[in-house]
């Protein structure tokens, strides 16, 4: 190969991940457990809330409280509190 030859650029392969995988979130919750702030943005509206409790299909039990929220920026977000681990996460709405 001579110095005049240009190699085509290739992108590095990204490791395969799960679609819409939860990410840790910084959440300030109200007294009743509803999120007041998500990642330093105030929650303008809690549109929906639901629980997921499931143990039969996995070795790791699942106990989560989900919230579909609208942030002060107008962005929609889904956040949940993982009761098994005591942590908050966010997923794309």
């Amino acid at each position: 190969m001579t110095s005049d030859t240009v190699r085509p650029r290739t992108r590095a392969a990204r490791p395969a991940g799960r679609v819409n995988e939860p990410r840790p979130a910084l959440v300030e919750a109200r007294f009743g457990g509803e999120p007041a702030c998500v990642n330093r943005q105030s929650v303008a509206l809690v549109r929906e809330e639901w629980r997921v409790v499931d143990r039969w299909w996995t070795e790791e039990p699942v106990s989560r409280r989900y919230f579909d929220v609208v942030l002060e920026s107008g962005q929609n977000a889904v956040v949940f509190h993982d009761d098994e681990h005591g942590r908050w996460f966010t997923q794309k709405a």
Side-chain angles (χ1 to χ4, degrees), residues 20-67:
N20 200 14
E21 187 167 350
R23 294 181 177 208
L26 176 63
V27 175
E28 293 178 34
R30 294 186 176 92
F31 180 73
E34 285 188 355
C37 289
V38 176
N39 296 329
R40 297 188 176 91
Q41 284 194 62
S42 294
V43 173
L45 175 67
V46 175
R47 295 180 352 157
E48 190 175 1
E49 175 185 350
W50 67 97
R51 282 196 163 278
V52 173
V53 178
D54 214 345
R55 296 180 189 279
W56 68 269
W57 58 273
T58 181
E59 292 180 13
E60 291 188 39
V62 174
S63 179
R64 297 176 178 170
R65 186 175 176 194
Y66 283 83
F67 299 89

Side-chain angles (χ1 to χ4, degrees), residues 63-67 79-83 86-89:
S63 179
R64 297 176 178 170
R65 186 175 176 194
Y66 283 83
F67 299 89
V79 295
F80 68 88
H81 185 262
D82 184 329
D83 296 333
R87 296 176 48 200
W88 284 93
F89 295 88

Side-chain angles (χ1 to χ4, degrees), residues 6-22:
V6 177
R7 288 185 177 172
R9 287 184 77 175
T10 58
R11 290 188 162 178
R14 290 182 15 189
R18 294 185 341 205
V19 174
N20 200 14
E21 187 167 350

